[in-house]
Amino acid sequence: MNFSYRIKVIILIAGIVIFTFVSLSPCLKNGYCNWDDYHLITANHSIKELSWKNIKEIFSSGYVGTYIPLTVLSFALENKFFKLNPFVTHLINLILHLLNVILVFGLLYLLTDNLLISAIVSLLFGIHPLHVESVAWATERKDMLYSFFFLSSLTFYHFYRQKAKKIYYFFSLLLFVFSLLSKPMAVTLPLVLILLDYYYEKQFKIKQIYSKIAYLVPAILVGIINIHFQGSGSLSAISYLKHIFVFFYNLLFYLYKLLLPANLSAFYPYPENFEKSLPLVFFVAPLIVAVIVYLIVWTKKLTHKIIFGSLFFIITLLPVSQLIPLVAPAIAADRYVYIPSIGLFFIFGLLIDWLYNRKLASAMTLKNILIIPLIVIFLLLGFISFNRCKVWKDSITLWSDVLKKYPQNGIAYNNRGNAYKFIGEYEKAYNDLARALQLNPLSAESYYNLGVLYFNVKNYNLAMEHYNKAIAIDPYLAVAYLSKGDIYFIYGDFGNAIEYYTKALQIDSLNVDAYYNRAIVFTRTHNLEQALSDYNQAIKLKPNFVQAYNNRGNIYFDFDEFEKAIWDYTKAIEFDSNYAPAYYNRAVAYYTKGDLDKARSDVEVLKKLSVIPDSNFLKLLEKNK
């Protein structure tokens, strides 16, 4: 590759990257949403402090039913250096996507030695509206990371094939492990490597399997771990045969959305009464797939490259294709085709290259005419993606968009109602949550959310009624027991409050609020040793828990352990320099120890915070000058 050619390649890649960045740039203005972002990022205590204890927890826990330790670790690192900032989160996701675009370009160029195909595939990968969900949804950092390592592993395996150096094989295997630890969808890579062998050798051979055995070990191990964290769930009456029809339906669904990315949604619900009967389209789907395959074979265009692209699409889609039955509220998702789409984009690139460099090789005018619709397609896709990014601005815009496409979806009403509740728009929240219950009367989550809404407006009787209904539907809903405990605490029924906080902890031993609230009740009932134990647990789970440090310091003060009390008050202040109670309590502790200068210093800080300490305490400080 001469210097001028390299410059041409660099300019081409730069143009693709810039166009992709512009097309997806609105996602940088987005916040977090209430769909997994809460559990994985904003309320995830594991990422609040980058400690060995938390790292151990990250690698031994599942998050939102999936084993994704490297993804969670990336959020912990992000929080360490930038704190929780949605702009930073989305910027990192976008940068990772741009790196993936470059990797796709490089991998396709290695496979084809064709700039046109490489450019078309990487540009489609970068700007296609079906990929917006993977980039614009903060939680889908796991898509970005697993794909980065997946594509890198494929690239190193290519170099291993070309140069037969074991170092490339080792890096490919290592990157595969990283990909698995980012998202279990990477489990298909050993099959893709066999497919890569087929691409070069134009036939499948038994010996191609031998070099993939090392990849199977981590794949099986992570698969077992993920099944453990995913839980057994329930498939209800849906038979395995039904899932085969769903598999074919999904193949056509994703093919259709890739060709015509209209009416995209963050949530595609199962058809109504799906468990009882299948709509006609599901029975027709296998026939349509069979006809497509027959037509391709009949036209004699089924080259090994088209087979490679088709199988790449199907193989990488397998974990989420429903061929392996999964318990999921949605039948399909845009994010599932982030990597699989490369296979179909490759076939499209082959088609354009065939038209441009072979069919129209001698017809320059027709070649130039072909470029025009291509440019229009790319601009249109970029425009759609640009606007699609805005849908992910916040929870309300997200679920409002879902309801435009699926106005009878109870999950969307529940989630939007929860978002309205969070910002204090209680009337809108009530309307959405009530509608969610109309559509799904057995939604424990909707009953619970409606209970929280009543709690917020201090209608504790109705709140308790809805918590009880939620528990009747789902006896393992820990937050409902916690919330019942809160109501008993307000009523002054400390015995029942402790009982329900304890029930919440029996179900969810990592519930920080249950430990903290029970500690407050233990303090009120003068069980200080038990309160101290619960504050210890709360701080262990949430190392930056300002109020817990302050309250634990108060207990140490009551025990006359002033050094420990001051240490706790100081920790609270380190995490929140404007937390007045900790300054006041530390001032009293310093005064009690006889360290009057430090006590006066804390009082001065309180005055700057516009907080006037107890007049009697001020007199004592003044008296002892």
Side-chain angles (χ1 to χ4, degrees):
M1 187 185 294
N2 59 45
F3 180 75
S4 61
Y5 189 79
R6 286 182 180 178
I7 294 297
K8 179 181 177 181
V9 171
I10 291 171
I11 292 173
L12 184 59
I13 294 173
I16 292 169
V17 168
I18 291 170
F19 187 43
T20 300
F21 177 83
V22 172
S23 298
L24 301 181
S25 58
C27 72
L28 297 176
K29 298 179 181 179
N30 294 349
Y32 299 118
C33 67
N34 64 358
W35 194 23
D36 289 355
D37 286 356
Y38 175 82
H39 300 288
L40 200 59
I41 305 172
T42 57
N44 185 358
H45 68 270
S46 302
I47 72 170
K48 302 304 181 185
E49 184 180 47
L50 191 63
S51 63
W52 285 115
K53 171 188 157 296
N54 278 2
I55 292 174
K56 181 181 177 181
E57 181 178 298
I58 287 169
F59 277 85
S60 59
S61 304
Y63 295 85
V64 291
T66 314
Y67 186 62
I68 48 173
L70 273 190
T71 298
V72 179
L73 182 61
S74 78
F75 287 125
L77 287 166
E78 178 188 328
N79 184 63
K80 169 72 175 178
F81 295 105
F82 306 105
K83 300 303 176 186
L84 283 184
N85 183 335
F87 171 79
V88 174
T89 302
H90 290 298
L91 178 62
I92 292 173
N93 280 14
L94 183 52
I95 289 172
L96 285 169
H97 178 61
L98 296 177
L99 291 174
N100 289 338
V101 169
I102 295 171
L103 283 171
V104 168
F105 183 96
L107 183 61
L108 265 295
Y109 188 73
L110 290 173
L111 290 175
T112 64
D113 194 28
N114 186 307
L115 277 183
L116 179 60
I117 294 175
S118 305
I120 288 173
V121 176
S122 57
L123 185 54
L124 284 172
F125 178 83
I127 65 170
H128 199 284
L130 221 59
H131 290 178
V132 168
E133 178 171 296
S134 294
V135 183
W137 185 9
T139 287
E140 281 310 297
R141 170 75 55 81
K142 53 182 182 276
D143 252 2
M144 299 298 97
L145 279 178
Y146 115 78
S147 300
F148 176 79
F149 294 124
F150 190 98
L151 294 167
S152 299
S153 179
L154 278 174
T155 303
F156 272 99
Y157 183 79
H158 164 85
F159 288 131
Y160 166 69
R161 277 192 53 89
Q162 299 300 107
K163 302 183 180 181
K165 291 184 178 179
K166 290 185 177 180
I167 187 66
Y168 293 120
Y169 183 87
F170 170 78
F171 277 119
S172 174
L173 184 59
L174 181 64
L175 289 162
F176 171 54
V177 173
F178 289 164
S179 186
L180 282 170
L181 295 177
S182 301
K183 188 176 182 179
M185 266 191 81
V187 73
T188 60
L189 187 127
L191 293 176
V192 175
L193 295 181
I194 294 174
L195 189 61
L196 200 63
D197 290 338
Y198 162 78
Y199 178 84
Y200 287 114
E201 299 171 25
K202 300 183 181 180
Q203 59 180 318
F204 289 109
K205 301 176 183 176
I206 294 295
K207 69 176 184 178
Q208 294 168 348
I209 299 174
Y210 300 152
S211 62
K212 316 308 179 297
I213 293 175
Y215 292 83
L216 293 177
V217 176
I220 292 170
L221 182 61
V222 170
I224 293 170
I225 293 172
N226 196 64
I227 289 171
H228 166 73
F229 286 119
Q230 191 177 53
S232 58
S234 172
L235 286 176
S236 166
I238 304 176
S239 66
Y240 183 70
L241 180 61
K242 186 173 287 188
H243 278 271
I244 294 176
F245 286 107
V246 173
F247 165 71
F248 284 106
Y249 169 82
N250 278 346
L251 288 182
L252 291 181
F253 175 85
Y254 292 126
L255 177 61
Y256 170 73
K257 291 295 183 183
L258 284 166
L259 291 173
L260 187 65
N263 292 318
L264 300 182
S265 174
F267 192 90
Y268 299 103
Y270 283 90
E272 193 175 347
N273 298 319
F274 181 77
E275 292 191 5
K276 296 179 180 178
S277 62
L278 279 174
L280 180 61
V281 65
F282 286 83
F283 293 103
V284 174
L287 299 176
I288 297 175
V289 171
V291 169
I292 292 173
V293 173
Y294 173 78
L295 288 175
I296 294 174
V297 174
W298 180 73
T299 55
K300 299 180 181 180
K301 297 299 180 184
L302 194 62
T303 67
H304 80 287
K305 291 181 180 180
I306 292 178
I307 292 174
F308 171 82
S310 302
L311 289 181
F312 185 98
F313 171 70
I314 294 171
I315 289 171
T316 52
L317 193 63
L318 281 177
V320 290
S321 66
Q322 298 282 4
L323 191 60
I324 302 171
L326 295 174
V327 181
I331 194 170
D334 293 353
R335 62 188 180 277
Y336 290 164
V337 291
Y338 186 72
I339 284 292
S341 62
I342 296 172
L344 299 186
F345 292 157
F346 176 57
I347 294 173
F348 180 76
L350 290 173
L351 173 63
I352 298 301
D353 180 64
W354 177 76
L355 286 172
Y356 190 81
N357 289 322
R358 293 178 60 185
K359 198 69 175 175
L360 306 176
S362 59
M364 186 58 64
T365 302
L366 291 175
K367 288 176 70 172
N368 291 333
I369 291 174
L370 177 64
I371 293 174
I372 297 173
L374 270 181
I375 292 174
V376 171
I377 289 171
F378 291 139
L379 289 175
L380 186 59
L381 291 176
F383 176 76
I384 295 171
S385 291
F386 188 88
N387 288 300
R388 183 73 192 156
C389 285
K390 299 173 184 177
V391 167
W392 290 86
K393 180 177 180 292
D394 55 42
S395 302
I396 293 171
T397 57
L398 177 66
W399 296 111
S400 294
D401 181 75
V402 172
L403 288 168
K404 284 180 183 177
K405 284 68 181 274
Y406 302 98
Q408 302 300 313
N409 188 257
I411 292 174
Y413 275 112
N414 175 76
N415 291 348
R416 191 175 70 174
N418 211 18
Y420 279 131
K421 171 170 62 68
F422 183 76
I423 61 175
E425 294 195 29
Y426 293 142
E427 184 177 349
K428 290 181 179 179
Y430 175 82
N431 291 335
D432 275 358
L433 293 172
R435 180 62 177 148
L437 283 172
Q438 283 180 350
L439 294 166
N440 185 5
L442 295 179
S443 172
E445 187 179 355
S446 295
Y447 274 114
Y448 171 73
N449 288 333
L450 205 49
V452 174
L453 181 61
Y454 284 123
F455 181 89
N456 289 348
V457 296
K458 301 185 177 175
N459 191 334
Y460 302 125
N461 290 334
L462 275 177
M464 185 70 81
E465 179 184 325
H466 283 78
Y467 294 150
N468 287 333
K469 288 180 179 178
I471 290 170
I473 296 169
D474 182 2
Y476 298 99
L477 190 61
V479 288
Y481 292 101
L482 169 65
S483 297
K484 284 189 69 172
D486 291 341
I487 292 177
Y488 281 121
F489 176 77
I490 290 170
Y491 286 160
D493 188 345
F494 297 142
N496 269 323
I498 290 173
E499 178 185 345
Y500 280 96
Y501 290 144
T502 303
K503 284 183 178 180
L505 288 168
Q506 288 171 347
I507 298 169
D508 180 9
S509 61
L510 300 179
N511 194 308
V512 177
D513 292 331
Y515 280 116
Y516 178 74
N517 293 357
R518 192 172 68 171
I520 293 174
V521 179
F522 280 139
T523 304
R524 293 282 186 92
T525 56
H526 307 291
N527 294 321
L528 297 186
E529 290 290 349
Q530 290 175 301
L532 186 62
S533 175
D534 275 357
Y535 281 131
N536 288 339
Q537 284 295 324
I539 289 170
K540 183 179 179 182
L541 292 170
K542 186 178 177 181
N544 62 344
F545 202 158
V546 173
Q547 294 83 354
Y549 280 112
N550 181 69
N551 292 359
R552 189 175 71 173
N554 291 340
I555 293 177
Y556 283 132
F557 185 90
D558 290 340
F559 289 161
D560 293 332
E561 296 186 46
F562 302 121
E563 288 295 338
K564 288 184 177 179
I566 290 170
W567 189 90
D568 271 351
Y569 298 142
T570 302
K571 287 297 289 185
I573 290 167
E574 285 176 4
F575 287 116
D576 185 354
S577 59
N578 294 320
Y579 189 65
Y583 283 109
Y584 178 75
N585 292 334
R586 191 172 68 172
V588 174
Y590 279 138
Y591 174 82
T592 307
K593 278 188 62 186
D595 200 337
L596 302 184
D597 287 340
K598 289 184 178 178
R600 293 189 186 101
S601 176
D602 278 348
V603 168
E604 289 304 312
V605 174
L606 286 169
K607 290 178 179 177
K608 290 178 182 178
L609 294 173
S610 301
V611 176
I612 306 301
D614 179 72
S615 58
N616 291 327
F617 179 59
L618 291 176
K619 288 177 182 177
L620 287 172
L621 279 178
E622 192 68 26
K623 181 179 177 181
N624 286 283
K625 270 190 175 180

